[in-house]
Amino acid sequence: MNRTDSRTAVVTGGGSGLGAAAAERLRADGVAVTTLDLRGADVAADVTDEAALAAVAAELGPVDVLVNSAGIVGPNRPLVETTADEWRGVFEVNVIGTVNTMRAFVPGMRERGWGRVVNVASMAGKDGNPNLSVYSASKAAVIGLTKSAGKELATSGVLVNAIAPAVIATPMNDNTAPDVLAHITGLIPMKRVGRPEEVAELIAWLCSDRVTFSTGAVYDISGGRATY
């Protein structure tokens, strides 16, 4: 039985893009979803602000599902032209932000004996995209974090998995340099970018009772780009 009608979820980065699509799809399953984002969401919150997240967690009460979709791309430049501050800024959102939300919501899931966490990584975290070293490294960190947390929580009833999308038609890619976007789109055997609703379908499945024997895993949604 899929008991989504009584479940609650938090979706970060829920103001647009993959987060908004995931929230819509989870609501279609009967999940009570609260979106978090800097703007355009149910709750205005910064995932890098631990105190703000603690306040949100206290106000919301029990949360069964966490989707970490908040993220930024960072600089589109060769590695040697990036700065330490740019690295810190991207990692603060993409990695520490994911850690912060997990620290805020996972303990309650563990106490109740059921939970689902889906971290949005990227094919860039597996393959490494040229001129996107900061973003690629941050998403590789999200993958490592997911694998570690999945093992830690493996017997708790809380499953932690990641997805690795290729290029998806979202506002995040609006600021990606055209040559970079063309390169990474050209790596997709299906010869097209993905749609947010396609990714949302995978996220919804990973958030459900239908997944019972998978944790610490990375699910590619890449139009055939994945090589391992």
Side-chain angles (χ1 to χ4, degrees):
M1 180 180 177
N2 191 26
R3 295 177 49 252
T4 53
D5 58 342
S6 61
R7 297 263 156 82
T8 59
V10 167
V11 178
T12 73
S16 64
L18 295 184
E24 181 179 358
R25 180 62 183 81
L26 287 171
R27 285 170 177 149
D29 273 349
V31 180
V33 179
T34 299
T35 56
L36 270 62
D37 212 324
L38 294 177
R39 61 192 66 84
D42 299 318
V43 175
D46 186 342
V47 294
T48 69
D49 187 339
E50 288 185 89
L53 289 176
V56 170
E59 184 174 344
L60 291 180
V63 169
D64 305 303
V65 171
L66 171 63
V67 178
N68 279 308
S69 186
I72 57 177
V73 175
N76 293 174
R77 292 194 304 278
L79 167 67
V80 295
E81 296 177 13
T82 61
T83 68
D85 282 343
E86 287 172 332
W87 280 81
R88 293 186 188 99
V90 173
F91 268 68
E92 190 70 23
V93 176
N94 294 1
V95 183
I96 305 302
T98 299
V99 172
N100 285 345
T101 57
M102 290 178 68
R103 291 179 63 239
F105 297 107
V106 166
M109 298 179 191
R110 185 172 53 199
E111 289 170 11
R112 293 185 297 276
W114 194 97
R116 298 290 184 268
V117 178
V118 178
N119 294 327
V120 178
S122 171
M123 283 304 300
K126 297 180 73 175
D127 288 359
N129 288 335
N131 296 320
L132 285 173
S133 59
V134 185
Y135 180 75
S136 298
S138 74
K139 291 303 186 177
V142 170
I143 289 172
L145 163 65
T146 300
K147 289 180 176 292
S148 179
K151 290 178 174 64
E152 289 181 13
L153 297 165
T155 60
S156 70
V158 181
L159 306 183
V160 185
N161 291 293
I163 63 167
V167 184
I168 309 297
T170 67
M172 176 183 268
N173 285 314
D174 290 347
N175 295 322
T176 302
D179 59 328
V180 174
L181 199 58
H183 169 76
I184 55 184
T185 302
L187 297 174
I188 301 173
M190 283 189 179
K191 299 302 180 187
R192 69 171 176 86
V193 299
R195 300 188 301 272
E197 60 268 25
E198 292 176 306
V199 180
E201 196 67 39
L202 176 58
I203 292 172
W205 177 69
L206 287 169
C207 291
S208 74
D209 287 299
R210 300 187 298 275
V211 180
T212 56
F213 194 56
S214 181
T215 194
V218 183
Y219 289 80
D220 299 321
I221 182 159
S222 65
R225 173 179 165 178
T227 56
Y228 72 96

